């Protein structure tokens, strides 16, 4: 399948989940994600904050785990003019706001270089057996991955297992290293 159809099918699938099923799947994904963080022992984790109306996996427990284990956390700050992201420090006392684009971001932005990030946790809609992801189609994360060190680990969070193949992957699409799902941890 191509990205546009995958996006449509899996967003509908996500929306069709009952609240109980969604929360159960989300809890299992977060458990698997924290397992990966424990293994990798990163110093700096870039993690998305879910968009309130998109039913993305809630990452609050990941932030809490990192803060309790002295792992520095940073979050994306999105530029919707050129579809790029910067990364800003977030700690338990960081005041947050909803931007005009509906993204939760720090009120005061203290930027950190992308090259300092050890692990990036990215949202996704679906992924394939090769670690390629389908997001919302603007390319924010793929552009961001270009700025990171080649040693930066990339992990996605998915409510669903992998699909066979995304047919329209191009040379701007970066594969992930891990995807935490409710059922397993996919490694690429």
């Amino acid at each position: 399948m191509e990205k546009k159809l995958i996006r449509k099918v899996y967003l509908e699938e996500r929306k069709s989940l009952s609240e109980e099923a969604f929360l159960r799947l989300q809890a299992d994904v977060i458990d698997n994600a924290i397992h990966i963080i424990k293994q990798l022992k990163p110093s700096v984790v870039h993690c998305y904050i879910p968009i309130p109306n998109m039913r993305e996996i809630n990452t609050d427990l990941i932030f809490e785990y990192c803060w309790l284990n002295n792992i520095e956390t940073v979050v994306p700050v999105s530029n919707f003019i050129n579809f790029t992201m910067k990364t800003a420090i977030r700690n338990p006392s960081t005041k947050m706001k909803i931007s005009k684009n509906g993204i939760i971001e720090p009120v005061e932005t203290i930027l950190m270089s992308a090259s300092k990030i050890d692990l990036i946790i990215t949202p996704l809609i679906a992924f394939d057996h090769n670690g390629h992801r389908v997001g919302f189609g603007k390319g924010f994360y793929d552009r961001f991955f270009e700025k990171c060190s080649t040693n930066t680990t990339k992990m996605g969070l998915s409510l669903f297992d992998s699909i066979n193949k995304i047919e329209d992957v191009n040379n701007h699409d970066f594969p992930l290293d891990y995807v935490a799902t409710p059922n397993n941890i996919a490694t690429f």
Side-chain angles (χ1 to χ4, degrees):
M1 273 193 281
E2 292 190 354
K3 293 176 190 174
K4 186 175 181 178
L5 180 57
I6 294 168
R7 194 172 291 117
K8 180 180 183 221
V9 167
Y10 281 88
L11 281 174
E12 286 176 12
E13 180 96 7
R14 184 192 289 178
K15 288 177 185 176
S16 73
L17 291 170
S18 70
E19 187 66 14
E20 180 183 330
F22 178 83
L23 292 174
R24 182 177 33 80
L25 293 170
Q26 175 177 262
D28 291 342
V29 170
I30 295 301
D31 286 346
N32 284 332
I34 290 173
H35 179 78
I36 295 168
I37 296 168
K38 287 178 182 177
Q39 283 185 319
L40 295 175
K41 297 178 174 66
S43 296
V44 179
V45 172
H46 167 106
C47 186
Y48 74 93
I49 299 172
I51 300 171
N53 64 348
M54 297 308 292
R55 208 169 195 202
E56 292 179 313
I57 293 169
N58 187 320
T59 54
D60 287 348
L61 291 176
I62 291 173
F63 283 103
E64 289 176 22
Y65 173 83
C66 290
W67 296 334
L68 288 171
N69 289 279
N70 298 312
I71 300 170
E72 193 165 9
T73 57
V74 294
V75 294
V77 176
S78 302
N79 179 329
F80 278 81
I81 295 170
N82 60 10
F83 303 113
T84 60
M85 289 187 325
K86 292 182 180 178
T87 191
I89 294 170
R90 180 185 184 204
N91 58 49
S93 63
T94 303
K95 290 184 180 14
M96 306 299 284
K97 66 176 181 182
I98 298 178
S99 74
K100 66 179 179 181
N101 295 300
I103 310 289
I104 299 172
E105 297 177 339
V107 171
E108 293 184 27
T109 305
I110 302 169
L111 297 178
M112 178 186 281
S113 169
S115 65
K116 293 184 178 182
I117 299 168
D118 300 307
L119 172 64
I120 297 172
I121 300 174
T122 177
L124 55 81
I125 296 167
F127 70 103
D128 71 10
H129 291 316
N130 296 312
H132 290 105
R133 63 184 278 280
V134 173
F136 287 103
K138 302 291 184 201
F140 280 100
Y141 271 92
D142 289 313
R143 286 184 198 89
F144 185 68
F145 293 154
E146 288 177 350
K147 298 178 191 176
C148 297
S149 163
T150 55
N151 295 324
T152 301
T153 302
K154 299 174 290 301
M155 175 172 60
L157 304 181
S158 179
L159 294 169
F160 309 108
D161 289 330
S162 67
I163 61 174
N164 284 333
K165 184 178 179 184
I166 299 168
E167 294 174 5
D168 54 342
V169 169
N170 63 52
N171 60 356
H172 298 292
D173 293 331
F174 282 76
L176 301 171
D177 300 297
Y178 297 96
V179 176
T181 74
N183 302 315
N184 64 28
I185 297 168
T187 305
F188 307 99

